[in-house]
Amino acid sequence: MKKWLYQYRHACMFLYFLIYLPWFAWLEKTVGHSPDYIIHMKIDDFIPFNEYFIIPYMLWFGFVAFWVVYFFFKDTKEFYQLTCFLFIGMTIFLIVSTLFPNGQQLRPTEFVRDNIFVDMVKYLYSVDTPTNIAPSIHVYNSLCIYLAVQRSGYLKEHMNPRLRYITYITTGVLSLLIVLSTMFLKQHSAFDVITAFIMCGVVYRFIYRHSYQAESQKTEPSIENI
C-alpha cells in the first residue's frame, strides 16, 4: 500500500476540486439568473442555433477526463503540467466570475425542431444557468488537452507513429467541435471563446516556459559548433 501511495502521490493534484467545486456551486447559486454584466458580441447574432452540437459539447466531459487519467498513469511529468495548465485557468475563471458576475441572453426560447438532441439541450439548459461564462472553461480545457497531447513526449516515444497521427487528428477535430459547440448551442458568446484562447496562450507560455528555454538552448549554436 505504501509503495502504491508513493507511486501515485501525484493524485494529490485532484484535491484542487475541493476548492473548485464548492466555489463554482456558490457562484451558480449567488449569480443565478441576475448577472451584473451581460456578455454579447455582434457576431453572436449571426451564429445559428444547432442542437446537433450537443454531442461534442457533452463529449467534453469524457474527453478531458480520459486524457487527465491517461497522463496520470502514463506520464507523471505531463500530468503535473497539464493539471497545472487546467487549474490555473479554472482558478482565473472563478476569480473573474466572482469579481464580475457575468451571463448571457443568447439561448433560444423556442425550438424549430423537436428531436432527441433538442431534448438534450433543454435538459442542459435546465441544469446549467446562462451565467459564469467568461472565459469559457469548455473552450479553455479543450485547448489545454489538445496542446498537452501534441507536446507529450510519452506519446512520441511509446505510441505507433500511425496511431499517434490519428490521435493528433482526432484530438484536434474534437477540440474544434467542442469550441464551436459552445457558440452553436448558445451556451457562450464569441467573447467567451476569444478570452479563453487568450487565457490559454498566456498560461501555456507560463506552464511550459522551461520547455521553451530548453528548446531554445538546443537550437542556439554553441561555441564548440562554430
Side-chain angles (χ1 to χ4, degrees), residues 114-128:
D114 184 15
N115 53 49
I116 187 174
F117 302 107
V118 170
D119 292 338
M120 293 172 66
V121 173
K122 290 180 179 178
Y123 175 75
L124 174 65
Y125 285 179
S126 69
V127 298
D128 184 20

Side-chain angles (χ1 to χ4, degrees), residues 201-212:
V202 173
V203 179
Y204 176 79
R205 294 303 297 264
F206 174 76
I207 294 296
Y208 294 100
R209 66 187 185 280
H210 297 301
S211 299
Y212 276 116

Side-chain angles (χ1 to χ4, degrees), residues 33-44:
H33 296 277
S34 302
D36 294 339
Y37 302 92
I38 299 298
I39 295 176
H40 179 267
M41 294 185 73
K42 190 63 178 178
I43 191 174
D44 296 329

Side-chain angles (χ1 to χ4, degrees), residues 138-194:
H138 250 69
V139 172
Y140 177 81
N141 284 1
S142 298
L143 295 174
C144 290
I145 296 296
Y146 171 74
L147 292 170
V149 170
Q150 292 292 319
R151 291 189 59 90
S152 173
Y154 181 88
L155 293 179
K156 293 177 182 178
E157 294 178 9
H158 298 88
M159 185 175 283
N160 176 277
R162 182 174 298 179
L163 180 59
R164 186 173 71 247
Y165 178 76
I166 294 174
T167 300
Y168 290 161
I169 295 298
T170 303
T171 305
V173 170
L174 183 53
S175 297
L176 175 61
L177 290 175
I178 291 172
V179 170
L180 293 175
S181 74
T182 63
M183 295 180 287
F184 280 94
L185 290 180
K186 299 302 179 179
Q187 280 289 89
H188 287 278
S189 164
F191 177 84
D192 310 330
V193 175
I194 294 171

